[in-house]
């Protein structure tokens, strides 16, 4: 169980960091005849600019609490689905980041990059790779918990609401805190 929890925490951290990295760097330049080109400005698009990947990754922190508070496999189906969603979002975002950056620059939606200028787009791979790695860790922890989760401990009856507690067997006294 501890390995799965560490994998969830590492996956969340990697995905949040990767989503905040630059996925595309757009620079604008103008060609000056006889002089060369002059750079006019630059801007970056992060993974969070393309999709709420960082917020999605932070949902993985809910799993850390859910592991301790609940029993069963349902708590980890969310982890598996969350990991798959992060991987799909990162792969899809990385595949279309160049076109998205150019479109935003041509429409004048990137601050610091004038519309209608010569554009250069660089697409570093580190941000998408971190999000994919984080998503894979979350998905792997989800798969492992689906396999072994029912044997993992959960909070005892003392931490549950009274209707959710196990009822005492006939003939046993009620706990002292449950008076007449």
């Amino acid at each position: 169980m501890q390995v799965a929890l560490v994998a969830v925490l590492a996956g969340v951290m990697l995905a949040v960091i990767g989503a905040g990295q630059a996925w595309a760097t757009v620079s604008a330049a103008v060609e000056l005849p006889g002089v060369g080109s002059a750079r006019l400005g630059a801007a970056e698009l992060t993974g969070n600019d393309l999709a709420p990947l960082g917020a999605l990754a932070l949902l993985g922190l809910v799993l850390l609490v859910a592991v301790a508070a609940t029993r069963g496999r349902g708590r980890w189906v969310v982890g598996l689905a969350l990991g798959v969603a992060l991987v799909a979002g990162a792969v899809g975002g990385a595949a279309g980041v160049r076109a998205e950056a150019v479109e935003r620059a041509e429409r004048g939606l990137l601050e610091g990059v004038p519309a209608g200028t010569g554009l250069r787009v660089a697409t570093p791979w580190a941000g998408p790779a971190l999000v994919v790695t984080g998503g894979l860790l979350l998905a792997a922890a989800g798969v492992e918990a689906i396999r072994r989760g029912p044997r993992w401990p959960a909070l005892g009856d003392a931490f549950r609401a009274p209707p959710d507690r196990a009822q005492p067997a006939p003939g046993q006294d009620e706990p002292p805190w449950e008076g007449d």
Side-chain angles (χ1 to χ4, degrees):
M1 180 167 94
Q2 290 87 2
V3 172
L5 292 177
V6 169
V8 168
L9 189 56
V12 168
M13 288 175 37
L14 288 173
V16 168
I17 291 169
Q21 297 288 320
W23 287 31
T25 303
V26 181
S27 60
V30 64
E31 188 69 34
L32 302 171
V35 178
S37 66
R39 181 176 166 180
L40 296 176
E44 292 181 344
L45 280 178
T46 67
N48 288 327
D49 291 333
L50 302 171
L53 297 173
L56 188 62
L58 287 174
L59 286 176
L61 294 178
V62 173
L63 293 176
L64 294 174
V65 175
V67 167
T70 62
R71 295 183 187 270
R73 296 178 182 197
R75 61 188 174 186
W76 287 95
V77 171
V78 175
L80 178 60
L82 186 59
V84 169
L86 280 170
V87 170
V91 169
V97 71
R98 181 178 294 277
E100 178 73 19
V102 169
E103 179 184 337
R104 287 185 186 192
E106 287 175 347
R107 292 181 25 208
L109 299 177
L110 289 179
E111 188 175 327
V113 178
T117 59
L119 299 175
R120 294 185 195 133
V121 180
T123 54
W125 57 269
L130 286 172
V131 174
V132 167
T133 303
L136 289 174
L137 280 171
L138 281 167
V143 167
E144 183 63 17
I146 288 171
R147 283 187 32 205
R148 298 180 187 207
R151 295 186 304 249
W152 290 348
L155 290 177
D157 280 345
F159 296 100
R160 298 192 182 284
D164 295 336
R165 292 184 187 148
Q167 299 302 317
Q172 288 184 340
D173 291 333
E174 289 187 19
W177 60 84
E178 292 184 9
D180 296 290

